Amino acid sequence: MQDFVFHNSTKLIFGKDKEQLVGQESVSYSKKLLLHYGGGSIKNSGLYDKVVSSLREQNIEIFELGGVKPNPRVSLVREGVAICKENDIDFILAVGGGSVIDSAKAIAAGAHYDGDVWDFFEGKSTIEACLPIGVVLTIPAAGSESSSGTVITNEDGWYKRSTGHITMRPQFAILNPELTYTLPSYQTACGITDMMAHILERYFTNEKNVEVTDRLCEATLKTIINNAHIVIEEPTNYAARAEIMWSGTIAHNDSLGVGRIGDWASHDIEHELSGIYDIAHGAGLAIIFPAWMKYVYKHDINRFVQFANRVWDIEIDLNNLEKTALAGIKKTEQFFSSIGMPITLKEVNIDSDHFEEMAKKGTENRPLGNFVKLNEEDVLNIYHLAK
Amino acid sequence: MQDFVFHNSTKLIFGKDKEQLVGQESVSYSKKLLLHYGGGSIKNSGLYDKVVSSLREQNIEIFELGGVKPNPRVSLVREGVAICKENDIDFILAVGGGSVIDSAKAIAAGAHYDGDVWDFFEGKSTIEACLPIGVVLTIPAAGSESSSGTVITNEDGWYKRSTGHITMRPQFAILNPELTYTLPSYQTACGITDMMAHILERYFTNEKNVEVTDRLCEATLKTIINNAHIVIEEPTNYAARAEIMWSGTIAHNDSLGVGRIGDWASHDIEHELSGIYDIAHGAGLAIIFPAWMKYVYKHDINRFVQFANRVWDIEIDLNNLEKTALAGIKKTEQFFSSIGMPITLKEVNIDSDHFEEMAKKGTENRPLGNFVKLNEEDVLNIYHLAK
């Protein structure tokens, strides 16, 4: 186990109707905020009205910025930064999923900085502090509600890049599983894939003696797997929605990753894909992760055997460990497919035209991954495996 | 799953030599502190010198109060409160195990209060705020390093009572598994029993649809069980000490208990025991918990079957679920015994003389437990089962 610091101070308020507390929670930070959200869904569902009314009850002055898209854009972030600076806004409330929260986090960093916010994503500058953020979560997926990172896309060149800082962690996040009842099954499945990928990125490590975090990862993966089909078949099943929602937070709140070095190559490889093609991040991960697994499993067959056995209940064939390892990868792929995710690039109409460009762009600063270090050629091979 | 708020902001600094950071971490809270500790062990091990030197490097003024005993006493807490008030001390550093931390927490509450600190433990007054606390942990057991509660014994009548408040959670805790190398095996085993009991108290719940927390509990229990014999046989095995130390924190940082109502009767029943007899809390739990299990398992046989199967790998006998449930209880008892814990009151020379008194005292304010509500007679029966 490696040395680590675990410090996650986000206050997580979980349960039915809890969005009604948003005004009360927000007012302890400011009487003026930027309300940040995506498209019309929160207006159609009535959530927008509930949030605004809770904020008004506390006499909070509301500035608004909607329009966050999946794979959130730096152009909108810059707009948000300008609004905060012009109006001396010192608190941001994100109502939505990971894209909205990530966009809010980038605004929170940019509002505290004299230069252009993209500097942070290019490593030209380092975040020193962010405005405080609150969250009402509507999509369990990214885990951004209690993570310290953000991923933003720059339309100028379609670069999708990440940055982070401890002060970027939301102060509070409200999680009401009922708010996810109206999520379409495809988006539900994308979220499930994303949270599983967050765990898998941590699970595949070269660190030895990480039993407790291994088992916590397996526990959370099994829960997600067991509840995935229920939420897709019965969208208003509170119990299953609650398991999925809380698992999504656990998957990315750092508790499963302490003391170990995660991989994250699949995320980086997928970011190139959804940076250019604008496909859903979860769908991209369902395609890339199994391909990555097939490409690297020989690096540590025993770890893949453990994964197959403990997560998928596949009996260990001691005479053929490789067979067991491959069966676990196959099960993962079949599972993604069973919840409606694509598992090949062909299914989302992506051909090999940009493979070389993506492999080059993704590795231009450093090799990807930690479990196995991948160079440009490796990444290219993985895209081909995912065809 | 019940609604819940999860908010644990303790900064956990884990790894080798990390006690060297104590000055740096403390100075951001105050230039003056109360250094609180137990007997001579931290002086013999050299930890005391390291801590003092790290504090002096930051020019922190140190007031000292040693002498905390297992089952920490309110008389020493009162002394600590007086020192803090007389010297305007606004930060407490606890160096030790759960008893030292609990004592520090009670001082932190008392220093902020005009009345007598015991009021909080009798429910005569409610904590509104505590002085901030830092921790250097030497015994993985109580989980007090990131919990919001404290247990103190009043020598006047030998009442052992608990209280808590969110501001009682330590600001930071330094966890270096090397500091546990010198723990005698009996104390190591007491700690292991205590952390397992913290998980079991949460595990045995009437709440349905708590899959993720069930599995996280099981994951942590399995890890503790797998590493227990290693740390007892090889006290300087860093990897195993690290698994145990981190599991002890997880067991009581609330992450395993969210969305469910725990039981806690065994803790209360044990508190009466160690309140009167001054036996180690962990040893008392090793005696009481299996007795409690035998007394209540019929209330929800399936939950005990799940425990037997998932934690102890006992095959489920579908024709005789009760047999499977009882096998799990037997395994728990055998495990405690195998790490050197007593599993009967006889082994610690406690006879039935005070059974009635303890059962009466423990239930005088309310029935104990939540999984099954226990009245005076039930508690008496459990003491008899534990003979």
Side-chain angles (χ1 to χ4, degrees), chain A residues 155 210 319 359 361:
Chain A
E155 306 95 309
V210 285
N319 296 314
K361 219 159 83 176

Side-chain angles (χ1 to χ4, degrees), chain B residues 125-334:
Chain B
S125 187
T126 309
I127 299 171
E128 279 171 17
C130 297
L131 296 185
I133 300 165
V135 170
V136 178
L137 186 66
T138 59
I139 309 173
S144 189
E145 64 276 11
S146 79
S147 81
S148 57
T150 174
V151 184
I152 298 291
T153 296
N154 192 333
E155 306 96 308
D156 182 7
W158 297 105
Y159 285 91
K160 189 169 180 178
R161 293 287 178 264
S162 59
T163 188
H165 191 257
I166 184 141
T167 62
M168 203 175 255
R169 241 187 248 288
Q171 304 297 315
F172 67 83
I174 294 175
L175 286 73
N176 175 2
E178 293 172 312
L179 297 180
T180 70
Y181 286 176
T182 52
L183 272 183
S185 64
Y186 185 78
Q187 225 175 332
T188 297
C190 283
I192 285 166
T193 307
D194 194 16
M195 59 183 79
M196 287 178 69
H198 288 154
I199 305 173
L200 294 171
E201 296 280 22
R202 293 174 166 96
Y203 192 74
F204 291 102
T205 182
N206 294 316
E207 192 62 29
K208 301 297 173 199
N209 305 306
V210 285
E211 179 170 352
V212 71
T213 39
D214 268 5
R215 291 190 184 279
L216 296 173
C217 285
E218 291 151 1
T220 314
L221 283 169
K222 278 186 94 91
T223 303
I224 296 168
I225 292 162
N226 287 343
N227 288 279
H229 288 106
I230 305 176
V231 293
I232 287 169
E233 282 153 32
E234 305 167 40
T236 60
N237 183 318
Y238 183 84
R241 286 285 193 187
E243 297 285 359
I244 292 291
M245 193 168 213
W246 188 236
S247 296
T249 299
I250 293 171
H252 208 44
N253 74 353
D254 287 359
S255 63
L256 306 184
V258 294
R260 47 203 294 151
I261 293 180
D263 186 69
W264 301 100
S266 298
H267 264 76
D268 286 334
I269 296 171
E270 194 292 314
H271 284 169
E272 295 308 320
L273 206 60
S274 57
I276 289 187
Y277 290 100
D278 212 23
I279 63 165
H281 175 54
L285 286 165
I287 296 165
I288 297 299
F289 227 111
W292 174 85
M293 286 177 158
K294 289 172 202 167
Y295 194 72
V296 305
Y297 76 93
K298 285 186 181 160
H299 172 69
D300 186 352
I301 287 194
N302 286 357
R303 181 148 281 274
F304 276 88
V305 170
Q306 178 182 302
F307 169 67
N309 176 253
R310 294 206 202 147
V311 174
W312 295 111
D313 295 317
I314 295 165
E315 208 168 57
I316 299 173
D317 183 342
L318 289 165
N319 296 314
N320 196 341
L321 291 175
E322 187 169 2
K323 191 181 132 202
T324 310
L326 287 170
I329 297 170
K330 189 82 202 156
K331 269 275 202 182
T332 309
E333 198 170 48
Q334 285 170 342

Side-chain angles (χ1 to χ4, degrees), chain A residues 157-159 161 272 275-277 352-364 376 379-380 383:
Chain A
W158 295 106
Y159 285 92
R161 293 286 178 266
E272 295 307 321
I276 288 186
Y277 289 101
S352 58
D353 283 4
H354 293 279
F355 281 7
E356 287 180 21
E357 177 195 340
M358 292 189 297
K360 195 180 174 66
K361 219 159 83 176
T363 55
E364 69 189 7
E376 186 179 332
V379 174
L380 188 61
Y383 284 126

Side-chain angles (χ1 to χ4, degrees), chain A residues 248-263:
Chain A
T249 298
I250 293 170
H252 207 45
N253 74 353
D254 286 0
S255 63
L256 307 184
V258 293
R260 46 203 295 152
I261 293 180
D263 186 70

Side-chain angles (χ1 to χ4, degrees), chain A residues 33-195:
Chain A
L33 57 74
L34 180 69
L35 175 59
H36 199 38
Y37 54 92
S41 66
I42 64 161
K43 292 198 172 164
N44 298 335
S45 70
L47 176 61
Y48 173 88
D49 290 337
K50 281 189 207 167
V51 166
V52 166
S53 124
S54 173
L55 296 173
R56 290 217 174 114
E57 268 172 37
Q58 303 290 337
N59 298 313
I60 293 172
E61 189 184 356
I62 305 169
F63 292 77
E64 282 197 35
L65 182 63
V68 181
K69 293 183 185 155
N71 304 314
R73 312 298 158 82
V74 74
S75 54
L76 193 74
V77 169
R78 287 180 181 130
E79 246 182 84
V81 170
I83 297 173
C84 288
K85 287 182 177 174
E86 279 159 25
N87 301 285
D88 288 324
I89 294 169
D90 53 6
F91 185 71
I92 304 174
L93 179 65
V95 180
S99 298
V100 173
I101 305 168
D102 278 8
S103 185
K105 285 172 169 176
I107 295 170
H112 243 298
Y113 179 61
D114 287 336
D116 176 48
V117 67
W118 190 250
D119 290 354
F120 299 132
F121 295 83
E122 281 190 318
K124 282 190 189 161
S125 188
T126 308
I127 299 170
E128 280 171 18
C130 297
L131 297 185
I133 300 166
V135 169
V136 178
L137 186 65
T138 60
I139 309 174
S144 188
E145 64 276 12
S146 80
S147 81
S148 57
T150 174
V151 184
I152 298 291
T153 296
N154 191 333
E155 306 95 309
D156 182 8
W158 295 106
Y159 285 92
K160 189 170 181 177
R161 293 286 178 266
S162 60
T163 188
H165 191 257
I166 185 142
T167 62
M168 203 175 254
R169 243 188 247 285
Q171 303 297 315
F172 68 83
I174 293 174
L175 287 72
N176 174 1
E178 294 173 311
L179 297 179
T180 70
Y181 285 176
T182 52
L183 272 182
S185 64
Y186 185 78
Q187 225 174 333
T188 297
C190 283
I192 286 166
T193 308
D194 194 16
M195 59 183 80

